[in-house]
């Protein structure tokens, strides 16, 4: 029998239903894997006791014929940006030292209600600001995949801990958040599926805010089907979040295997960047061919303002962040470094509590909102954002989905790009436009680069058309037949 | 009767604009479900949102929106169907989010007008620039501990309306009348209780001066957080004089924020640090634009009560009251309601006189509000009825009223208990008159010989003999008949 931790989420669900194993057995296997995989530094907090309690409760429900659904008894990992009742929540930051919420985020509560078992809280870039998971106060996360010569690589970010946990076989599913690519890019770097739903599909209530108009929760899994199942348990309107969409949650798995015959797939020339590695371009072409072979039609479209998306994103997101992070002032919770006056205390607390990247973004955000600069930066960026959304709306008059690469490279070594923030920001060049337009998008593992490292392909769909997105992603997954796995965290191949 | 400050170089005119912060009457806060009651123990009315815990999100309280629209309609102002909440960013220990959610570029209410009744009987139209909604901050308590500041977040997130006037006010007196008028309208609407001493209403006062006759606006200063009508008037007076002195001495007025110190009777600048902010306003991404439908506004419009201006006009036309009396009666909704109940089916002018005269006098003396009056309006009406049907005289009524005010008893009961009914039986009075005339032949002759004044002496004697109960008019008529005076 396959090791329990190697099962997909859907397979594990079937096994539980068939009585092949119990949720407790499955959970114990994951806890053991967590312990064996600590070198990855994927978790900030492990919660084995909570996990076992919930697993036993799930088994009891199932024994009583009251299993809640496909997630009941499935162990998952939660990015440490989601507030969890009674469990330390850090956002990867020193400034939230000792912060234990008295409340549970809506998304993690929905998962809990669906019977999912929380294994722990995963590492992330501080306040989700980063593309390599190197800015966490709790140290960098290692990609389970190794570079040439066994070099440690980044898992991508900011949901790097969640991606590493799923790719490293510690659990079959994890939740992350995506502001500019923080689910999709790490999924691409670690050879798994990462999905960002439409803005408003999942409640943001209880998620430590980075950039409110962009943040969305989403699943990281080893298959498209698993992502669809998991999103179904996460999504839904929430009156506590004014930006949550008051629309019904469809069955995301419906039509997953219906194929892409007749589907129109848009290819935007603007995603063909100067200096893009040949193997990324080749993989993109391969993706088109895979879809065409299954009866889809590829159509050239223009997304004229694509090149402005990244600069505009790096105005809007820091602007919102500079305001969202003002509440970490040492007055009510988390870290406080005493000072002679209130201002001294602010300076000491925030100076010590925030890392370099967070401080950089707070400074950028404060600057672009300042009197005299607002019109030139923030207002201009909002106009660009409107134009980007309009580009997409027009493209979607012709096509059902768009196909692009997920990231401009495979995973790089820990320590690389650390001295060049702009090079780091370029990681998100393909994922940011969909974020700016609030569109659902997914990264599907599609191939390996010359060093044997995973690369993803990226699909974008119309607002709230996740069903079509999953269907196209499933077709891509099927054709790619990606089954490469990283070396086992303990050594030897899995 | 314009208010001018005379200086060496000539007369100066004062230009005033008011920003009134009014707490919206609502059980819950603007963006959270926490309670808003005044006087609760520190930090007992604080939700996770009010304390700005990580991941918490604001959700607009629809009732507060309705209250703001209602107020806008009461100020005869334009209601903006599309408005936007923005963040006003600054750090302070009692501002948990590090920003205040407020409306900036697109407020919910636009331009309107308020009519002031001036003491000389004239009216003045004062323009309203805008009304916007915003959340209040918490409170820093500096006096609880020698070294530390304590924070009370009960007020954090409480809904406020900021009502901004145009710079149309020209004297401390006008500013006072304007503030009272706004308070009266808000109280009629039930959108703000107007209790300045509890902080549910306070004003920022913008003041500038200019040579009389000039149209140009000069640099203004803003006096923050003034919390009574009297202080607003005093602050304007002192600040305007300070500015005139500055100009007359060849100096300038700098645009700045000042505080009014009522104890020292002066305004002084706040420390630069206290106000030199770049607030970095931007639309709050946690909230969607606030969109109202025309039907919503119309529904609220239909629910508006009769407002002071309309009520005053009705009191003048329906009850025949003077504009002055009507104005006094409508200033508070409770007074107007009291008057209408007391006057119903009776002599309205007489009722108005009793309310503004005896009742106000007694309430003032007792330090009571009209709502606490020991004499309910129906009882005052009963007293008026006793006069109308000649059961008691006007003179006697005053004594009965004092008794009513003291004991809360019904007028008819007091009259019956004390046997105060007026004697209106002609025979009974005739008998007394005849006896008094008979007993005082000399005085009677005096009257008969043409000394009309002496008849007053006889009236006094008859009243004395009847313990004041005889109907004075009947006594007078009978004496004249008998004595041929």
């Amino acid at each position: 029998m396959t090791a329990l931790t190697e099962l997909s989420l859907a397979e594990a669900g079937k096994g539980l239903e068939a009585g092949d194993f119990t949720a407790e057995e499955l959970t114990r296997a994951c806890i053991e894997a967590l312990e064996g995989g600590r070198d990855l530094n994927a978790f900030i907090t492990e919660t084995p006791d909570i996990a076992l309690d919930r697993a036993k409760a799930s088994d009891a429900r199932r024994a009583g014929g009251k299993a809640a659904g496909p997630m009941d008894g499935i162990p998952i990992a939660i990015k440490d940006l989601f507030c969890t009742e009674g469990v330390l929540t850090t956002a990867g930051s020193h400034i939230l030292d000792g912060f234990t919420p008295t409340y549970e985020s809506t998304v993690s509560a929905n998962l809990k209600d669906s019977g999912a078992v929380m294994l722990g809280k995963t590492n992330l870039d501080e306040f989700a600001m980063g593309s390599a998971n190197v800015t966490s106060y709790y140290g960098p996360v290692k990609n389970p995949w190794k570079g040439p010569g066994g070099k440690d690589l980044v898992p991508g970010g900011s949901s790097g801990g969640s991606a590493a946990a799923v790719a490293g076989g510690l659990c079959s599913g994890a939740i992350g958040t995506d502001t500019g690519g923080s689910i999709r890019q790490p999924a691409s770097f670690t050879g798994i599926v990462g999905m960002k739903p439409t803005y408003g599909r999942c409640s943001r209530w209880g998620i430590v805010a980075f950039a409110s108009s962009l943040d969305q929760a989403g699943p990281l899994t080893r298959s498209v089907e698993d992502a669809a199942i998991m999103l179904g348990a996460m999504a839904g309107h929430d009156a506590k979040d004014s930006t949550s969409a008051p629309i019904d949650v469809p069955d995301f798995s419906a039509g997953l295997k219906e194929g892409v015959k007749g589907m129109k797939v848009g290819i935007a020339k603007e995603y063909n960047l100067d200096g893009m590695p040949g193997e990324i371009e080749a993989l993109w072409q391969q993706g088109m061919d895979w879809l065409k072979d299954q009866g889809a039609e590829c159509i050239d479209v223009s997304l004229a303002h694509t090149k402005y998306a990244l600069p505009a994103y790096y105005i809007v997101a820091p602007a919102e962040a500079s305001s969202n992070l003002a509440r970490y002032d040492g007055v009510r919770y988390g870290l406080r470094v005493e000072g002679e006056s209130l201002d001294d205390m602010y300076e000491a607390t925030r100076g010590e509590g925030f890392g370099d990247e967070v401080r950089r973004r707070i400074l950028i955000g404060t600057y672009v909102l300042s009197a005299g600069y607002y019109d030139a930066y923030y207002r201009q960026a909002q106009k660009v954002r409107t134009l980007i959304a309009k580009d997409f709306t027009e493209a979607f008059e012709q096509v059902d989905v768009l196909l692009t690469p997920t990231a401009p490279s495979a995973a790089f070594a820990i320590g690389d790009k650390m001295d060049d923030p702009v090079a780091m920001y370029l990681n998100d060049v393909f994922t940011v436009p969909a974020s700016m337009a609030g569109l659902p998008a997914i990264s599907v593992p599609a191939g390996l680069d010359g060093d044997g490292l995973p690369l993803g392909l990226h699909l974008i769909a119309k607002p709230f058309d996740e069903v079509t997105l999953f269907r196209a992603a499933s077709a891509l997954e099927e054709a790619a037949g990606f089954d490469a796995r990283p070396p086992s965290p303990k050594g030897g191949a899995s | 009767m314009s208010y001018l400050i005379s200086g060496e170089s000539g007369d100066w005119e004062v230009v005033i604009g008011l920003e009134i912060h009014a707490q919206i009457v609502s059980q819950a806060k603007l963006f959270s479900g926490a309670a808003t009651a005044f006087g609760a123990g520190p930090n007992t009315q604080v939700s996770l949102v009010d304390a700005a815990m990580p991941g918490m999100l604001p959700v607009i309280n629809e009732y507060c929106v309705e209250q703001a629209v209602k107020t806008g309609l009461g100020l005869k102002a334009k209601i903006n169907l599309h408005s936007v909440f923005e963040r006003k960013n600054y750090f302070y220990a009692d501002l948990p989010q590090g920003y205040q959610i407020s409306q900036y570029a697109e407020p919910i209410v636009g331009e309107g007008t308020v009519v002031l009744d001036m003491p000389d009987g004239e009216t003045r139209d004062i323009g309203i620039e805008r009304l916007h909604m915003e959340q209040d901050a918490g409170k820093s308590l500096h006096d609880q501990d020698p070294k530390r500041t304590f924070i009370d977040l009960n007020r954090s997130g409480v809904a406020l309306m900021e009502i901004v006037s145009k710079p149309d006010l020209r004297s401390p007196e006008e500013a006072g009348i304007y503030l009272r008028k706004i308070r009266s309208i808000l109280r009629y609407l039930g959108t703000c209780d107007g209790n300045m001493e509890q902080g549910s209403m306070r004003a920022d006062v913008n003041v500038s001066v200019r040579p009389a006759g000039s149209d140009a606006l000069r640099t203004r200063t803003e006096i923050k957080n003034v919390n009574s009508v009297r202080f607003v008037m005093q602050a304007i007076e002192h600040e305007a004089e300070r500015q005139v002195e500055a100009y007359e001495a060849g100096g300038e007025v700098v645009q700045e924020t000042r505080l009014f110190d009522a104890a020292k009777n002066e305004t002084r600048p706040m420390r630069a640090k206290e106000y030199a902010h770049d607030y970095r306003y931007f639309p709050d991404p946690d909230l969607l634009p606030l969109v109202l439908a025309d039907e919503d506004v119309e529904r609220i419009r239909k629910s508006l009560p009769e407002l002071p201006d309309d009520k005053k006009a009705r009191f003048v036309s329906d009850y025949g009251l003077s504009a002055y009396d009507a104005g006094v009666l409508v200033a508070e909704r409770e007074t107007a309601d009291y008057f209408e109940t007391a006057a119903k089916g009776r002599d309205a002018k007489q009722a108005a006189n009793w309310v503004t005269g005896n009742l106000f006098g007694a309430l003032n003396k007792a330090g009571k509000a009209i709502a606490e009056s020991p004499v309910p309006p129906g009882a005052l009406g009963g007293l008026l009825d006793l006069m109308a049907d000649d059961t008691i005289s006007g003179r006697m009524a005053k004594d009965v009223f004092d008794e009513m005010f003291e004991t809360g008893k019904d007028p008819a009961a007091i009259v019956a208990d004390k046997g105060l009914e007026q004697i209106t039986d002609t025979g009974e009075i005739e008998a007394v008159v005849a006896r008094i005339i008979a007993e005082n032949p000399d005085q009677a002759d005096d009257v008969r010989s043409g000394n009309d004044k002496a008849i007053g002496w006889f009236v006094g004697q008859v009243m004395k003999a009847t313990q004041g109960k005889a109907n004075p008019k009947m006594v007078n008529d009978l004496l004249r008949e008998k004595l041929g005076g």
Side-chain angles (χ1 to χ4, degrees):
Chain A
M1 189 177 125
T2 317
L4 291 180
T5 55
E6 284 303 305
L7 297 173
S8 75
L9 194 152
E11 289 163 350
K14 285 181 191 122
L16 288 167
E17 204 179 326
D20 296 344
F21 45 83
T22 63
E24 187 180 344
E25 284 165 348
L26 182 61
T27 300
R28 284 191 191 280
C30 288
I31 291 171
E32 204 179 302
L34 246 64
E35 289 167 353
R38 280 183 186 152
D39 182 52
L40 296 176
N41 198 26
F43 284 81
I44 291 173
T45 306
E46 295 174 6
T47 56
D49 295 342
I50 291 174
L52 286 171
D53 283 352
R54 291 190 190 166
K56 287 173 191 165
S58 170
D59 286 333
R61 272 194 301 276
R62 197 173 294 280
K66 287 180 185 160
M71 289 301 294
D72 204 339
I74 304 288
I76 57 163
I78 309 260
K79 187 181 187 179
D80 205 15
L81 201 64
F82 292 84
C83 290
T84 43
E85 187 179 351
V87 176
L88 180 72
T89 298
T90 70
S93 182
H94 186 28
I95 209 158
L96 275 170
D97 268 10
F99 172 62
T100 303
T102 58
Y103 48 93
E104 184 82 25
S105 81
T106 300
V107 164
S108 58
N110 287 348
L111 283 165
K112 191 178 162 191
D113 292 346
S114 77
V117 170
M118 177 173 73
L119 291 166
K121 307 289 294 290
T122 55
N123 206 341
L124 69 158
D125 279 301
E126 186 180 1
F127 283 104
M129 297 177 189
S131 307
N133 215 128
V134 292
T135 70
S136 170
Y137 178 69
Y138 297 90
V141 175
K142 289 180 190 170
N143 194 326
W145 297 80
K146 299 298 167 196
K151 212 179 208 179
D152 280 334
L153 305 177
V154 303
S158 65
S159 309
S162 289
V166 173
L170 312 186
C171 52
S172 59
I175 55 172
T177 59
D178 189 315
T179 304
S182 281
I183 289 173
R184 295 162 286 160
Q185 182 256 16
S188 179
F189 276 23
T190 58
I192 61 170
V193 173
M195 193 270 178
K196 179 197 93 76
T198 313
Y199 183 80
R201 181 63 97 177
C202 289
S203 169
R204 293 184 297 111
W205 193 88
I207 301 174
V208 175
F210 162 16
S212 311
S213 72
L214 296 153
D215 296 344
Q216 261 298 289
L220 295 103
T221 56
R222 289 197 293 261
S223 76
V224 172
E225 182 187 17
D226 288 1
I229 292 169
M230 210 162 156
L231 181 62
M234 298 164 67
H237 177 241
D238 180 6
K240 291 187 288 190
D241 174 2
S242 310
T243 64
S244 141
I247 58 171
D248 290 340
V249 177
D251 178 359
F252 295 119
S253 309
L256 206 59
K257 303 295 176 195
E258 282 175 14
V260 291
K261 197 167 171 18
M263 191 182 282
K264 290 181 174 137
V265 179
I267 308 296
K269 60 177 185 298
E270 289 84 0
Y271 279 70
N272 214 329
L273 296 184
D274 285 347
M276 184 157 77
E279 48 198 1
I280 301 280
E281 213 178 322
L283 183 69
W284 191 11
Q285 184 58 52
Q286 178 68 69
M288 297 177 215
D289 293 341
W290 281 330
L291 293 172
K292 275 194 270 192
D293 289 348
Q294 296 180 65
E297 184 188 349
C298 286
I299 296 171
D300 287 334
V301 295
S302 173
L303 297 166
H305 299 90
T306 299
K307 69 175 169 183
Y308 303 113
L310 195 70
Y313 171 86
Y314 274 98
I315 290 170
V316 172
E320 294 181 10
S322 70
S323 177
N324 281 334
L325 270 58
R327 66 187 55 198
Y328 307 107
D329 57 6
V331 174
R332 297 169 312 289
Y333 47 78
L335 180 72
R336 175 190 291 182
V337 181
E338 299 291 347
E340 284 301 301
S341 66
L342 183 62
D343 286 348
D344 281 350
M345 185 193 81
Y346 286 154
E347 284 166 19
T349 301
R350 290 167 66 84
E352 189 171 322
F354 291 137
D356 287 347
E357 184 59 29
V358 171
R359 278 186 285 182
R360 175 169 18 248
R361 297 201 197 188
I362 289 174
L363 287 172
I364 293 171
T366 304
Y367 179 82
V368 300
L369 289 175
S370 296
Y373 299 99
Y374 183 91
D375 287 343
Y377 292 101
Y378 185 78
R379 194 184 299 280
Q380 202 68 9
Q382 290 294 11
K383 286 184 193 161
V384 169
R385 193 172 179 179
T386 306
L387 292 173
I388 289 166
K390 193 163 155 266
D391 282 351
F392 277 114
T393 304
E394 284 167 11
F396 281 124
E397 284 166 10
Q398 300 175 61
V399 301
D400 302 303
V401 292
L402 293 156
L403 177 70
T404 82
T406 306
S409 76
F412 47 87
I414 293 176
D416 280 5
K417 309 189 189 198
M418 289 292 281
D419 53 354
D420 187 352
V422 174
M424 192 67 95
Y425 295 168
L426 278 169
N427 271 291
D428 296 328
V429 68
F430 297 131
T431 48
V432 151
S435 298
M436 292 290 270
L439 301 172
I442 190 168
S443 177
V444 178
L448 298 172
D449 77 350
D451 292 329
L453 296 174
L455 295 170
L457 282 173
H458 185 228
L459 288 159
I460 307 168
K462 295 172 195 171
F464 300 104
D465 194 10
E466 283 90 353
V467 168
T468 301
L469 183 72
F470 281 125
R471 184 147 60 95
S474 183
L476 209 53
E477 178 183 49
E478 179 91 19
F482 184 90
D483 58 1
R485 295 297 308 274
S488 149
K490 285 178 207 159
S494 60
Chain B
M1 59 156 292
S2 57
Y3 177 86
L4 295 172
I5 298 174
S6 49
E8 310 241 322
S9 65
D11 285 344
W12 294 80
E13 183 181 49
V14 189
V15 179
I16 305 150
L18 252 51
E19 293 168 19
I20 299 173
H21 300 260
Q23 180 178 335
I24 295 175
V25 171
S26 162
Q27 298 287 315
K29 294 182 180 180
L30 185 53
F31 297 111
S32 83
T36 58
F38 177 77
N43 295 309
T44 57
Q45 299 185 344
V46 185
S47 75
L48 296 167
V49 175
D50 307 324
M53 299 305 282
M56 292 300 98
L57 299 171
V59 176
I60 185 76
N61 177 339
E62 285 181 32
Y63 182 72
C64 291
V65 174
E66 197 153 308
Q67 291 284 66
V69 170
K70 205 179 219 184
T71 307
L73 293 171
L75 299 175
K76 306 207 172 8
K78 179 174 181 286
I79 305 301
N80 294 322
L81 298 181
H82 184 276
S83 64
V84 174
F85 285 101
E86 305 206 22
R87 292 184 184 177
K88 178 181 180 177
N89 294 282
Y90 66 96
F91 282 96
Y92 203 65
D94 56 25
L95 187 73
Q97 295 169 138
Y99 54 85
Q100 177 194 33
I101 305 176
S102 181
Q103 295 188 307
Y104 185 56
E106 299 183 62
I108 188 164
V109 176
E111 294 187 333
T113 312
V114 169
V115 181
L116 305 190
D117 293 311
M118 303 307 292
D120 60 6
E122 297 291 305
T123 60
R124 284 264 288 127
D125 285 0
I126 304 300
I128 297 292
E129 178 70 33
R130 57 186 276 159
L131 176 156
H132 68 254
M133 284 185 279
E134 62 187 21
Q135 41 172 203
D136 206 350
K139 230 180 191 166
S140 293
L141 310 170
H142 302 294
D143 55 356
Q144 308 284 304
D145 185 281
K147 290 186 119 166
R148 296 174 299 172
T149 295
F150 289 177
I151 305 293
D152 178 3
L153 295 180
N154 281 356
R155 287 195 69 85
S156 170
V158 162
L160 304 177
M161 298 179 277
E162 182 172 328
I163 302 165
V164 182
S165 82
K166 290 185 182 292
D168 287 351
L169 299 160
R170 293 288 176 269
S171 71
E173 185 189 29
E174 269 186 18
I177 293 171
Y178 169 79
L179 192 53
R180 284 202 189 91
K181 184 64 181 272
I182 293 282
R183 186 170 61 183
S184 166
I185 292 170
L186 300 188
R187 282 177 171 166
Y188 264 75
L189 293 165
T191 58
C192 173
D193 67 22
N195 285 333
M196 297 190 83
E197 61 283 0
Q198 289 182 2
S200 51
M201 204 168 145
R202 51 191 195 259
D204 297 342
V205 188
N206 289 290
V207 179
S208 67
V209 298
R210 63 186 175 196
S214 159
D215 279 337
L217 288 171
R218 293 202 176 192
T219 305
R220 66 185 161 83
T221 59
E222 182 177 12
I223 310 159
K224 282 269 184 205
N225 265 331
V226 191
N227 63 358
S228 85
V229 175
R230 193 161 55 92
F231 289 164
V232 164
M233 293 168 67
Q234 287 173 0
I236 292 167
E237 206 177 311
H238 292 292
E239 177 57 16
E241 274 164 18
R242 188 192 68 84
Q243 291 186 15
V244 168
E245 278 167 26
Y247 286 127
E248 298 258 322
E252 281 297 314
V253 168
V254 284
Q255 183 158 354
E256 63 183 358
T257 306
R258 302 177 70 88
L259 285 173
F260 177 61
D261 185 332
K264 292 188 183 157
N265 239 333
E266 62 174 26
T267 69
R268 61 165 181 273
M270 287 173 89
R271 283 182 298 128
K273 262 183 125 172
E274 289 175 288
Y275 68 90
H277 293 297
D278 175 356
Y279 290 120
R280 290 171 283 124
Y281 278 100
F282 75 107
D284 191 331
D286 287 332
L287 293 160
L288 302 172
L290 182 57
V291 179
L292 302 169
D294 268 321
E295 304 89 81
D296 297 333
V297 177
E298 285 317 303
R299 179 179 50 77
I300 297 167
R301 194 191 300 278
K302 286 193 184 104
S303 78
L304 288 187
E306 184 183 33
L307 290 171
D309 290 345
D310 294 333
K311 206 182 271 291
K312 181 183 166 195
R314 183 167 62 80
F315 280 12
V316 170
S317 66
D318 289 11
Y319 295 121
L321 302 186
S322 70
Y324 179 81
D325 278 352
V328 170
L329 288 171
V330 303
E332 302 272 353
R333 188 176 182 170
E334 289 78 8
T335 310
D337 289 347
Y338 187 105
F339 160 74
E340 287 215 84
T341 308
K344 195 169 182 195
R346 306 188 174 98
D347 179 341
K349 278 188 187 170
Q350 191 186 25
N353 286 339
W354 273 84
V355 172
T356 59
N358 301 58
L359 179 67
F360 277 11
L363 288 172
N364 249 339
K365 216 165 133 194
K368 287 187 167 161
I370 194 150
E372 309 161 316
S373 170
V375 179
L380 181 64
L383 184 66
L384 298 178
D385 290 343
L386 292 176
M387 281 186 276
D389 66 10
D390 282 336
T391 307
I392 56 172
S393 67
R395 170 74 198 80
M396 196 69 85
K398 289 185 173 63
D399 296 338
V400 174
F401 178 82
D402 289 344
E403 177 97 12
M404 289 163 73
F405 198 87
E406 208 166 289
T407 63
K409 281 192 195 156
D410 190 67
I414 294 169
V415 169
D417 283 358
K418 302 209 161 178
L420 300 176
E421 289 94 342
Q422 198 166 217
I423 302 167
T424 49
D425 175 0
T426 316
E428 199 177 329
I429 298 175
E430 226 165 25
V432 180
V433 166
R435 178 165 60 81
I436 301 283
I437 291 173
E439 284 170 8
N440 300 283
D442 293 349
Q443 284 87 341
D445 285 343
D446 200 13
V447 175
R448 285 193 190 98
S449 61
N451 186 357
D452 200 47
K453 280 184 190 159
I455 203 162
W457 182 85
F458 275 99
V459 174
Q461 292 303 305
V462 175
M463 293 308 283
K464 198 172 163 190
T466 58
Q467 289 99 48
K469 290 193 283 187
N471 181 312
K473 186 172 181 302
M474 289 172 72
V475 171
N476 225 317
D477 291 349
L478 280 168
L479 281 167
R480 287 187 187 282
E481 195 185 304
K482 304 283 181 204
L483 296 172

